Structures are given as C-alpha cells and as structure tokens.
Amino acid sequence: MQYADEFRDPAKARTLVEEISKLAALLAKARGRPLQVMEVCGGHTHTIFRYGLKAMLPEALEFVHGPGCPVCVLPMGRVDDCVALACNPKIIFTTFGDAMRVPGSKGSLLQAKAEGADVRMVYSPLDALKLARENPTREVVFFALGFETTMPSTALTVLQARREGIRNFSLFCNHITIIPTIKAILDSPELTLDGFLGPGHVSMVIGNRPYDFIAERYHRPIVVAGFEPLDILQSLWMLLKQMKEGRCEVENQYKRIVPEAGNAQALAAVAEVFELREFFEWRGLGSIDHSGVRMRAAFADYDAERKFGVPGLSIADPKSCQCGEVLKGVIKPHQCKVFGTSCTPERPLGALMVSSEGACAAYYRFGRIAIKPVETETVAS
Amino acid sequence: MKMDDPHGKRMPGGVVTLAHGGGGSAMRKLIENVLLPAFNNPLLAALEDQATVPLAELLVHGDRLAFTTDSYVVTPMSFPGGDIGKLAVCGTVNDLAVSGARPLYLSCGLVIEEGLEMAHLAMIVESIAHAARLAGVSVVTGDTKVVERGAADKLFINTAGIGVIPAGIQISASRAQPGDAVIVSGSLGDHGIAILLARNELALDAAVMSDCQPLHGLVAVMLGACQDIHCLRDATRGGVATVLNEFATSSRVGIRLREAALPVNETVRGACEILGLDPLYLANEGKLVAVVPATHADAVLAAMRAHPAGLEAAIVGEITAESAGNVILSTAFGGYRVVDMLVGEQLPRIC
C-alpha cells in the first residue's frame, strides 16, 4: 500500500531499534533508572501496541501513555449531558463511533440508543450537517470533541451551516486544547518524564512553536512524531539523541505533514468560531484552566448548550479508578487497583478502558502477555 | 410494478400485506406463486406441516446428523456479491460444512415487514433457490410471517439445515494440538467492508465484493487431502480473530499468527487504515479457518488452492504449547501483540 508500507519496513526498524537500545542503555545507566517518554497522543499509543513496538524496545525505555485520547478524558458529567440531549425527542444526536461506549453516571450513549434515543454514528461533522439538511423538522446536534486535530473541521462545518442558513444544526462543544494539559502534567510534583513524543495531528494545525516552553522552561526535549511505526522509532531515536547530546529542543520528525507555523486557514476558522473556556474538567485530571473551548456568542444559534440547556453536572470519577495517575505516568495501566478485574473493556469503570486509543484498553487488548501470563479461564471471558 | 430478477424471470407486482401472512387465500397464493416454483422439490410440494425425509437416504452419506440454524438480518438487503437470500443459504450450508458434513436439506422461515414489494421478495426467494441449487441442497420446509410496518426491517430470514457427517471425521474446536498448522481459505474482511461501503455511509469510492459463497466443496477437497482435520470453522461475525480465540480456549493451546502471511485484499486494507478497523475482526461469509496436522498442511493447502473457493488460501500460523488460551500475532513490523476477543462491535476511531 503506497504511502504506508514505506513506513513499515522491518529492516529499517531493526536498525533503529539497535540505535535506540544503545542510547537508552547509556542514558538509563547515567540516570540510574529507566527513561520515561510520554507519547501525548492516543494515536501513538495505538501504533505502539498495534505494531508490537513495546516488545521490540529495551526495558531501559518506558512509554508513558499520555492524555491524548479525547474520548478517554471526557468527564462523566459531560457524557451525562450528551445522554440528556440525546433523550430529547426533538433531537437527532450524532457522534463519532468510539464516543458511544464512554460510561456516564447513568450509562453510555450506546445504552441511551438501545432505550430509544435517536443517536447516530457519523464519520465527520459534515455528515451531521447533511442529516440536518435531510431532516428539517428535527434538531441535529453534533457531539464535537477532540483536540486541535478535529476543531477546524467542526468550525468549518458551523461556518458552512451559517452560509447555507441551516438553523436546525448545532454543536455540543467539548473540544479541548493540548498545551494547557501538557503544562499541567509538567507542573505535577510527581513528574518523572524525560521527554515527549509530540502529537503529530494536533501539530499539523498549531505548528511547533507552541511547544517551545517545554524545552525552554521545563528543560524537556520533544519530537513531534508521525503515526506510522517507523515514525515513532525515528522520533524516539531523535529524542534520545537530544538527551545524549544534552540538548532540549522542539524537533519535527513529521515534516511531511507538520508545517512549522501550523495551518493558518484552519487556525483562522477555529478562532472565528471558538473561544477559550476559563476552565474545563478532564476525567482523571480534574479541572485545568483554559483547557477547553466553547462557541463564541456570535454562534449562539449553533451552540447546543445555549440552545437546549444541559444539566452541566460535575460528577466525581469512581473512587477506585486511578485514571489520573495513569494519565500522568505515575502508574502503569496494569498497576491500577481495578485493571482487568472490575474495570475491563466489557465493563469499563474508567474511560481509559473504553476507546481503542485509551492506554488501559490498549494494554488490556494488545499487551497483556507482556505484563504477565494470563490464565486460560480469564482470557475466555 | 414489475421488475426482472437477475435470473431472467418476470417478477410479480404489488406489495406484501398482512393478509399474506394470515393463513388464508392470499398466503396460499404467495406460497404457490412465489415459493413453490422457486424451491421446486417434491418434499416441499407435498405441503405437509413437515418434510418427511427417508432415513435410508441420509445413511448413505455417513453416520451422524449435523443440524444447525441461523437467522439473517442485513442492511442493505442486496450488496455487491450477494443479498440476504444468498447469505441465508451460504451461512447455514457453511455451518454444516465445517463439521465435515455434506449439507442436504434446509428450512426457510421468512419474517416479512408489511409493504415489502412483492417483486423484491420474489427476487430474494429466487436468490435463495439459486444459491441452494448451487450448493446442492433442497429447501424442504418453511414458514412465512408478515409483521406490521415498523416491526421488522423489510425481511428477516431464518434457515435451519441438516447434513450428514461421514464416518471417521472428527472435527472440533477442542482438537488443536501444538505443532498443527493454521490455514485461512482466503482474503479477510471482504464481506464486512462490502457491507459498510454498500451502506454508503463512508463516502469512500471503492469496489469490494462480498465473499459470500458456500464452502462445502472446499471442505470436501480438504478432507480428501487429510481426513484428520482437527478444527474447522467459518469466520463470520467477529472474523478470523474470534474463531482463533475460540480454538485457543477450547483446545487450551496457544496460537502464533504471522501478520505478513495473512491474506488481505488491498482495498480492504486501505479502508481499514482509513477507518481504524482491523481486518482480523471483520466479518466474512465465505472464508474458513482450519487447523491441520503439520505433516498434512502442504497437501491441504495445495488442495485448497486448486478449488475456486480457496485460491488465496495461506498458512498463517501454528499452534503452540506456550501462552495457552491466547492468540499472539507476530507483526509484519517485527514486534508482537495479543489478538484478543473483540468487545462489542468494532467502532471507527475519532482520529
């Protein structure tokens, strides 16, 4: 498959793994502990597990799976708000597939659908707008979520709706922004991270300059990485090389996609439609200042929160969940008290067990053998 | 309205009404005009409440009955490479075939939503009859219900099937042994992606045909090459990954798969990349997974490749004594990962 297989060459991978192993051994020895690298983006977590990268890399190098799965960091209260909107008989509630299983305090959107709510899976906000065009007597709400990666497409869809004069379309806006979140992790007193793999898709929109503070103020190297397995290995090699040479810089491995200054057109659309919220709640991480966006007043007619009102409750995560500690890299997914026992992909307690990009689900689905041999009986469940 | 079916017959007009399921003259007309001519066999034509099958005819083929049933609901009803009728025959024939049985008789239960065009129904019935003829089975009994508009999605079909297993064949999910070879009969996920594309939800322009086909002929040539096939299952919902997990659990063995050896059609691979789906979990309707003794693996593979239903057959892994109960995939990239049972259905990822 052109443009994909070039980035999956096992021979090149072996060479890179050898180089990484040498560098990691040196650096870990000097630090007296394994190196910890956080991949911020859930797409990277997925690649690491899908291609079995963890098994190829040395123990001197540990991955910390960051907060970059937008589905995983949705707080329970927001899911309850979604369910409340979806239960309004006037509304066709549209969402991306993997958001349908996220547990709220009263169940997921999938359960709401089974009980009669009109919830429909779409592949893009434009599909939701098409539904609005086709159903002029209904209200179509699109559950807008994701980082800067998906923000431009929802902004452009709202602008398109306004241009066409479509009035029965709105967003339930849960977009979040990555920089304050990385900052919150760097400010954590428990921080043990040695470097970052930067989120490639987000960077395609915002560029590389917003990460400068990571290198300058927090003295951690960061390499913006692509999503193919060779991208990840090359980025790791670049990161370790920086560490060996005592540099702390923002480097761009994903140059074929990520422009240094980002995408001006996408940023302009985002700025026109959205503004920062003072604070936004994250599952497991609590409230983070300026980490979410809402729609500007000029787009109130397209804002489901203003148009219909939502309960807006804040609901605490189940006490037994240690999602926050996993997200910050303090513990590994399998070290959580409820991992694989009361929290499984079948019955997720925490959101990290829901999406295939979630660290816990990825550990559970792809990586359990590497953690410990599993009894036959538990595998069958 | 009249329309022509793909097999060249004129189709009846009108729509199905509740009267067609009422047991009276309308129903009798439906049976006599649509069902009997299509299925055309003396056991059904007797129009008794049951088909009466002489035991002597069964005993010719073997010493055990294989008996199975499945229900078919699919949107859209017709898709590239098949329709719900062909699916209902192939699915049940294949469930019999993977026991090593020779499929012989089918029942056919139709649950029709009021308002379905009679011509559309007749086309599906003709498709059932056509698929049954090709598979060498007879539809010998059946049932028709009509439900109110909204109570069903156009048409649901249930088929049950009877086949006979030849003496000496012992195929079971619990018979895999360390050292055995794992074979798949062809490319993975064609049916799953064909259905997704036919629903027109993806805005992807790609041609993928469903692999919907009967497999009893393929199984017969495999048994010709090796009577002692250990495990055999058709990989429908849940795909090859689910079948292999069932083998690993039932036989208490490990399975090591080689990703590079898995046959996946290039278009299916591309669609999976875009949607974040895994072909190992996609549905097939004409593919099987076999576990055979290593000593016979090459002979079975050669026999499969000589059959039209197994042209792309490949040895994709082996049974191991380690990691009992688990399926481990050696990735083409050089790593490995666990291929677990799927939870719920695969949902496309956000980005």
Coordinates of all heavy atoms in Angstrom, one line a residue, chain B residues 15-24 26-28 30-31 35 109-118 121 143-152 154-156:
Chain B
V15 N -47.4 -5.2 -3.3 CA -46.6 -5.3 -2.1 C -47.2 -6.4 -1.1 O -48.3 -6.8 -1.3 CB -46.6 -4.0 -1.3 CG1 -46.0 -2.9 -2.1 CG2 -48.0 -3.6 -0.8
V16 N -46.3 -6.8 -0.2 CA -46.8 -7.9 0.8 C -47.6 -7.1 1.8 O -47.3 -6.1 2.3 CB -45.5 -8.5 1.5 CG1 -46.0 -9.5 2.5 CG2 -44.6 -9.2 0.4
T17 N -48.8 -7.7 2.1 CA -49.7 -7.2 3.1 C -49.8 -8.2 4.3 O -49.4 -9.3 4.1 CB -51.1 -6.9 2.5 OG1 -51.6 -8.1 2.2 CG2 -51.0 -6.0 1.3
L18 N -50.5 -7.7 5.3 CA -50.7 -8.6 6.5 C -51.5 -9.8 6.1 O -51.3 -10.9 6.6 CB -51.4 -7.9 7.6 CG -50.6 -6.8 8.4 CD1 -51.4 -6.0 9.4 CD2 -49.4 -7.5 9.1
A19 N -52.3 -9.7 5.0 CA -53.1 -10.8 4.6 C -52.2 -12.0 4.1 O -52.6 -13.2 4.2 CB -54.1 -10.4 3.4
H20 N -51.1 -11.6 3.5 CA -50.2 -12.7 3.0 C -49.6 -13.6 4.1 O -49.0 -14.6 3.9 CB -49.0 -12.0 2.2 CG -49.4 -11.5 0.9 ND1 -49.5 -10.1 0.7 CD2 -49.8 -12.1 -0.2 CE1 -49.9 -10.0 -0.6 NE2 -50.1 -11.1 -1.1
G21 N -49.7 -13.1 5.4 CA -49.3 -13.9 6.5 C -50.4 -14.5 7.3 O -50.3 -15.1 8.3
G22 N -51.7 -14.2 6.8 CA -52.9 -14.6 7.6 C -53.3 -16.0 7.5 O -54.2 -16.4 8.2
G23 N -52.7 -16.8 6.7 CA -53.1 -18.2 6.6 C -54.2 -18.5 5.6 O -54.6 -19.7 5.4
G24 N -54.7 -17.5 5.0 CA -55.8 -17.7 4.1 C -55.4 -17.8 2.6 O -54.3 -18.2 2.3
A26 N -54.7 -15.4 0.4 CA -53.5 -14.6 0.0 C -52.2 -15.3 0.3 O -51.3 -15.3 -0.6 CB -53.5 -13.3 0.7
M27 N -52.2 -15.9 1.4 CA -50.9 -16.7 1.8 C -50.7 -17.9 0.9 O -49.6 -18.1 0.4 CB -51.0 -17.1 3.2 CG -49.8 -17.7 3.7 SD -49.8 -17.7 5.5 CE -48.5 -18.9 5.8
R28 N -51.8 -18.6 0.6 CA -51.7 -19.7 -0.3 C -51.2 -19.3 -1.6 O -50.3 -20.0 -2.2 CB -53.2 -20.3 -0.4 CG -53.3 -21.6 -1.2 CD -53.0 -22.8 -0.4 NE -52.9 -24.0 -1.2 CZ -52.7 -25.2 -0.8 NH1 -52.6 -25.4 0.5 NH2 -52.7 -26.2 -1.6
L30 N -49.3 -16.7 -2.3 CA -47.9 -16.4 -2.1 C -47.0 -17.6 -2.2 O -46.0 -17.7 -2.9 CB -47.7 -15.6 -0.8 CG -46.2 -15.3 -0.4 CD1 -45.6 -14.2 -1.3 CD2 -46.1 -14.8 1.0
I31 N -47.5 -18.6 -1.5 CA -46.7 -19.9 -1.4 C -46.7 -20.5 -2.8 O -45.6 -20.9 -3.3 CB -47.3 -20.9 -0.4 CG1 -47.1 -20.3 1.0 CG2 -46.7 -22.3 -0.5 CD1 -47.8 -21.0 2.1
L35 N -43.1 -19.2 -3.7 CA -42.2 -20.0 -3.0 C -42.0 -21.4 -3.7 O -40.9 -21.9 -4.0 CB -42.6 -20.2 -1.6 CG -42.7 -18.9 -0.8 CD1 -43.2 -19.1 0.6 CD2 -41.2 -18.3 -0.7
G109 N -37.5 -19.9 7.0 CA -38.5 -19.1 7.6 C -38.4 -17.6 7.2 O -37.3 -17.0 7.3
L110 N -39.5 -17.0 6.7 CA -39.4 -15.6 6.3 C -40.2 -14.8 7.2 O -41.4 -15.1 7.5 CB -40.0 -15.5 4.9 CG -39.4 -16.3 3.8 CD1 -40.2 -16.2 2.5 CD2 -37.9 -15.9 3.5
V111 N -39.7 -13.7 7.8 CA -40.4 -12.7 8.5 C -40.4 -11.4 7.7 O -39.4 -10.8 7.6 CB -39.8 -12.5 9.9 CG1 -40.6 -11.4 10.7 CG2 -39.8 -13.8 10.8
I112 N -41.6 -11.1 7.2 CA -41.6 -10.0 6.2 C -42.3 -8.8 6.8 O -43.4 -8.9 7.4 CB -42.4 -10.5 4.9 CG1 -41.9 -11.8 4.4 CG2 -42.3 -9.4 3.8 CD1 -42.8 -12.5 3.4
E113 N -41.8 -7.6 6.6 CA -42.4 -6.4 7.0 C -43.5 -6.0 6.0 O -43.2 -6.0 4.7 CB -41.4 -5.3 7.1 CG -42.0 -4.0 7.7 CD -41.0 -2.8 7.7 OE1 -40.0 -2.9 6.9 OE2 -41.2 -1.9 8.4
E114 N -44.6 -5.8 6.4 CA -45.7 -5.3 5.5 C -45.2 -4.2 4.7 O -44.6 -3.3 5.1 CB -46.9 -4.9 6.5 CG -47.9 -4.0 6.0 CD -48.8 -3.5 7.0 OE1 -48.4 -3.2 8.2 OE2 -50.0 -3.6 6.8
G115 N -45.5 -4.2 3.4 CA -45.2 -3.2 2.5 C -44.0 -3.5 1.6 O -43.7 -2.8 0.7
L116 N -43.3 -4.6 1.9 CA -42.2 -5.0 1.0 C -42.7 -5.3 -0.4 O -43.7 -6.0 -0.5 CB -41.5 -6.3 1.6 CG -40.3 -6.8 0.8 CD1 -39.1 -5.9 0.8 CD2 -39.9 -8.2 1.3
E117 N -42.1 -4.8 -1.4 CA -42.6 -5.1 -2.7 C -42.5 -6.6 -3.0 O -41.5 -7.2 -2.7 CB -41.7 -4.3 -3.7 CG -42.1 -2.9 -3.8 CD -41.2 -2.1 -4.8 OE1 -40.5 -2.8 -5.6 OE2 -41.2 -0.9 -4.7
M118 N -43.6 -7.0 -3.6 CA -43.7 -8.5 -3.9 C -42.5 -8.9 -4.9 O -41.9 -9.9 -4.7 CB -45.0 -8.8 -4.6 CG -45.4 -10.2 -4.7 SD -45.5 -11.0 -3.1 CE -47.2 -10.7 -2.6
L121 N -39.4 -9.4 -2.9 CA -39.5 -10.6 -2.2 C -39.2 -11.8 -3.1 O -38.4 -12.7 -2.8 CB -40.8 -10.8 -1.5 CG -41.0 -12.2 -0.8 CD1 -40.1 -12.3 0.4 CD2 -42.5 -12.4 -0.4
D143 N -41.7 -21.4 6.5 CA -42.7 -20.7 7.3 C -42.7 -19.3 6.8 O -41.7 -18.7 6.5 CB -42.4 -20.8 8.8 CG -43.4 -20.0 9.6 OD1 -44.6 -20.2 9.4 OD2 -43.0 -19.2 10.4
T144 N -43.9 -18.6 6.7 CA -43.9 -17.2 6.3 C -44.8 -16.5 7.4 O -45.9 -16.9 7.7 CB -44.6 -17.1 5.0 OG1 -43.9 -17.9 4.0 CG2 -44.6 -15.7 4.5
K145 N -44.2 -15.4 7.9 CA -44.9 -14.5 8.7 C -44.8 -13.1 8.2 O -43.8 -12.7 7.6 CB -44.3 -14.4 10.2 CG -44.4 -15.8 10.9 CD -45.8 -15.9 11.5 CE -45.8 -17.2 12.4 NZ -45.6 -18.4 11.7
V146 N -45.9 -12.3 8.3 CA -45.9 -10.9 7.9 C -46.2 -10.1 9.1 O -47.1 -10.4 9.9 CB -46.9 -10.6 6.8 CG1 -46.9 -9.1 6.4 CG2 -46.7 -11.5 5.6
V147 N -45.3 -9.1 9.4 CA -45.5 -8.3 10.6 C -45.8 -6.8 10.2 O -45.5 -6.5 9.0 CB -44.2 -8.3 11.5 CG1 -44.0 -9.7 12.1 CG2 -43.0 -7.8 10.8
E148 N -46.4 -6.1 11.1 CA -46.8 -4.7 10.8 C -45.6 -3.9 10.4 O -44.5 -4.1 10.9 CB -47.5 -4.1 12.0 CG -48.9 -4.6 12.1 CD -49.6 -4.0 13.3 OE1 -49.2 -2.9 13.7 OE2 -50.5 -4.7 13.9
R149 N -45.9 -2.8 9.6 CA -44.8 -1.9 9.2 C -44.1 -1.4 10.5 O -44.7 -1.0 11.4 CB -45.4 -0.8 8.5 CG -44.4 0.1 7.7 CD -45.1 1.2 7.0 NE -45.8 0.7 5.7 CZ -45.2 0.8 4.5 NH1 -43.9 1.1 4.4 NH2 -45.8 0.4 3.5
G150 N -42.8 -1.4 10.5 CA -42.0 -0.9 11.6 C -41.6 -2.0 12.6 O -40.8 -1.8 13.5
A151 N -42.3 -3.2 12.5 CA -41.9 -4.3 13.4 C -40.8 -5.1 13.0 O -40.2 -5.9 13.7 CB -43.2 -5.2 13.6
A152 N -40.3 -4.9 11.7 CA -39.1 -5.6 11.2 C -38.5 -4.7 10.2 O -39.1 -3.7 9.8 CB -39.5 -6.9 10.6
K154 N -37.8 -4.8 6.8 CA -38.1 -5.3 5.4 C -38.2 -6.9 5.4 O -39.3 -7.4 5.1 CB -37.1 -4.9 4.4 CG -37.1 -3.4 4.1 CD -36.2 -3.0 3.0 CE -36.1 -1.5 2.8 NZ -35.3 -0.9 3.8
L155 N -37.1 -7.5 5.7 CA -37.2 -9.0 5.7 C -36.1 -9.6 6.6 O -34.9 -9.2 6.5 CB -36.9 -9.4 4.2 CG -36.8 -10.9 3.9 CD1 -38.2 -11.6 4.2 CD2 -36.4 -11.2 2.5
F156 N -36.5 -10.5 7.4 CA -35.6 -11.4 8.2 C -35.8 -12.8 7.7 O -36.9 -13.2 7.4 CB -35.9 -11.3 9.7 CG -35.8 -10.0 10.3 CD1 -36.5 -9.7 11.5 CD2 -35.0 -9.0 9.8 CE1 -36.4 -8.4 12.1 CE2 -34.9 -7.7 10.4 CZ -35.7 -7.4 11.5

